[in-house]
Amino acid sequence: MLALNHYNCSASPLLPRFSNDSAGKVEARVAVEVLSQQGNLTSPLQPTTSGVIVVILSMTLGIISNIVALFILANAYSLQRRRTKATFLLFATSLVVTDFIGHVIPGALVLRLYLSGGVHPENFNSSDRMCQFLGGSMVFFGLCPLFMGSAMAAERCLGVTKPLLHSSLVTKTRTKICLSAIWLAALCVAMLPCFQLGSYAYQDPGTWCFIKVLSDTQEVDVAFVALFSSLGLTSLAVALVCNTISGLTLVLARLRRKPGSHHSAKSHDIEMVVQLVGIMVTSCICWSPLLIFGLMSVIRSYTGTIAEDLSSYKTLMVMGVRLATWNQILDPWVYILLRRTVLRKIYLIAKCQAGLRGNIMVRWEPTSFPSTEKNQVKQV
């Protein structure tokens, strides 16, 4: 009894004062419910040291990859004499520069949030200037590579299928105008929340910002996410169609080519289409999950059916944004590894390995060993 009285006197104000009457039992139950609700509010994972290390390593890898790709593209652009190849390299260089800036700026802001411990879950729906800038950067640097990938695929499709029309329409000046239009369009979409057409909010675990998709969503939020996802998925679809047409055209031209003829221009086209296919595959793998998960989340949040699966959708959004971040790391390696010189070396190595295996098989073929009867005849 003395111990119980001492416990009651020194207990926290949040804990109940136990008594024998029914009112004391009601107080106890209310206090337990309050404590359980507070525990649920603090249940989301907080940023950890391992998360900081992962952010630093990914930023370092992305910076190194983009710098190496920029050096290779700048060297190729200075040595290139063909106008079609120069146009492609101008697109590619702009894409790598955009990926580089889009990797450094959001990455630095995310690292800052990690080092500061992140935003408390109670403030996830709030949006300060930093969140506005980070969310706008995510949208802008997400749409730009997708738009550029589809524009590059369309340019190559025109160059492969209609070379004369391509030579008359596509120039460096028009290419620069097209790039400016792409950056301007992505900027306009990213700035829609400034005109109350959508909103940005902190996302779990409080270290990054994106379009509000999980709670307190309005009609403008649904429209904003639908616009972002539809633009991204449409860009991927355009790139898929154009690259498919270009690839089939080059394959048919290869099959129709005479045995003794040689077309150096076709080898350049093949190299560019192979690189575009690599960009398209990388973008599809890295960006499709975030585009689809974001649209699914905002629809379920708006209709009020996300409550039972809220933790699952939070996990899906985190996975989606991590995959999207890897797009800016993998894009430069498309130009580093899928160059004609590298592909030729890989082809020669594979051919040599196939030749060695063929020689080994020939040595063990029955026809390679003369029969004993033939040896006897030769000896006679």
Side-chain angles (χ1 to χ4, degrees):
M1 291 295 294
L2 290 175
L4 182 58
N5 290 334
H6 176 72
Y7 176 79
N8 287 335
C9 294
S10 61
S12 170
L14 293 175
L15 295 176
R17 294 182 179 273
F18 294 97
S19 60
N20 293 327
D21 55 0
S22 60
K25 294 180 180 179
V26 172
E27 283 187 22
R29 291 176 183 174
V30 171
V32 170
E33 290 179 0
V34 170
L35 288 175
S36 63
Q37 290 176 0
Q38 290 179 350
N40 290 335
L41 288 175
T42 59
S43 60
L45 297 175
Q46 296 298 321
T48 59
T49 305
S50 61
V52 176
I53 295 174
V54 170
V55 172
I56 294 175
L57 290 178
S58 63
M59 283 189 64
T60 304
L61 180 60
I63 290 171
I64 294 174
S65 302
N66 282 279
I67 289 176
V68 173
L70 279 175
F71 176 78
I72 293 173
L73 289 171
N75 187 33
Y77 187 81
S78 62
L79 298 176
Q80 190 54 238
R81 296 293 181 268
R82 296 178 66 246
R83 192 176 70 176
T84 55
K85 181 69 174 179
T87 303
F88 177 82
L89 290 175
L90 181 58
F91 268 118
T93 305
S94 302
L95 176 59
V96 173
V97 171
T98 305
D99 281 337
F100 177 74
I101 300 174
H103 190 72
V104 172
I105 294 178
L109 296 177
V110 170
L111 181 61
R112 179 184 174 183
L113 287 172
Y114 263 103
L115 294 176
S116 63
V119 178
H120 196 271
E122 293 178 350
N123 300 323
F124 277 2
N125 289 330
S126 63
S127 179
D128 51 16
R129 291 183 179 179
M130 182 176 176
C131 182
Q132 292 285 336
F133 183 75
L134 179 55
S137 299
M138 294 282 294
V139 172
F140 175 78
F141 291 112
L143 289 177
C144 280
L146 298 177
F147 288 167
M148 289 183 185
S150 61
M152 293 168 67
E155 183 268 337
R156 274 297 80 215
C157 181
L158 182 62
V160 171
T161 57
K162 304 291 183 180
L164 296 179
L165 181 61
H166 177 273
S167 60
S168 62
L169 289 179
V170 179
T171 61
K172 288 185 180 180
T173 302
R174 290 176 178 173
T175 302
K176 293 177 181 178
I177 294 174
C178 179
L179 289 171
S180 301
I182 288 173
W183 286 321
L184 181 61
L187 182 63
C188 290
V189 175
M191 292 185 66
L192 286 178
C194 297
F195 304 97
Q196 305 301 320
L197 299 174
S199 57
Y200 297 116
Y202 285 103
Q203 307 290 327
D204 190 72
T207 54
W208 60 291
C209 281
F210 194 60
I211 307 171
K212 186 184 291 186
V213 295
L214 294 175
S215 61
D216 297 334
T217 53
Q218 305 296 326
E219 293 181 356
V220 289
D221 298 317
V222 178
F224 190 20
V225 177
L227 176 63
F228 175 75
S229 298
S230 61
L231 289 175
L233 293 174
T234 302
S235 299
L236 293 175
V238 170
L240 176 63
V241 172
C242 292
N243 288 328
T244 302
I245 295 174
S246 300
L248 292 176
T249 303
L250 290 174
V251 169
L252 292 176
R254 178 81 176 180
L255 294 176
R256 294 171 182 172
R257 193 179 69 180
K258 296 180 179 179
S261 62
H262 178 73
H263 297 280
S264 60
K266 292 299 180 183
S267 62
H268 287 281
D269 291 332
I270 292 172
E271 178 189 18
M272 290 185 282
V273 171
V274 168
Q275 290 178 347
L276 286 174
V277 170
I279 295 171
M280 180 192 66
V281 172
T282 303
S283 299
C284 287
I285 295 174
C286 295
W287 272 105
S288 295
L290 183 61
L291 297 173
I292 295 173
F293 294 158
L295 191 58
M296 292 170 54
S297 300
V298 75
I299 291 175
R300 293 205 59 181
S301 176
Y302 181 70
T303 56
T305 59
I306 198 175
E308 61 271 12
D309 298 326
L310 183 59
S311 59
S312 300
Y313 278 93
K314 288 181 179 179
T315 304
L316 290 176
M317 289 298 295
V318 172
M319 291 175 56
V321 76
R322 286 176 178 173
L323 282 174
T325 303
W326 274 96
N327 180 73
Q328 297 164 340
I329 299 175
L330 297 177
D331 264 350
W333 289 100
V334 173
Y335 308 105
I336 296 173
L337 298 178
L338 298 184
R339 290 177 294 153
R340 190 168 49 168
T341 54
V342 177
L343 293 175
R344 186 183 292 113
K345 290 179 181 179
I346 295 174
Y347 173 74
L348 292 176
I349 292 173
K351 188 176 181 180
C352 291
Q353 294 293 329
L356 290 175
R357 292 179 182 177
N359 291 334
I360 293 174
M361 294 299 295
V362 168
R363 291 174 185 175
W364 288 97
E365 285 180 357
T367 56
S368 62
F369 295 98
S371 61
T372 55
E373 294 179 358
K374 290 182 179 180
N375 289 336
Q376 292 176 358
V377 170
K378 287 182 181 179
Q379 289 178 359
V380 172

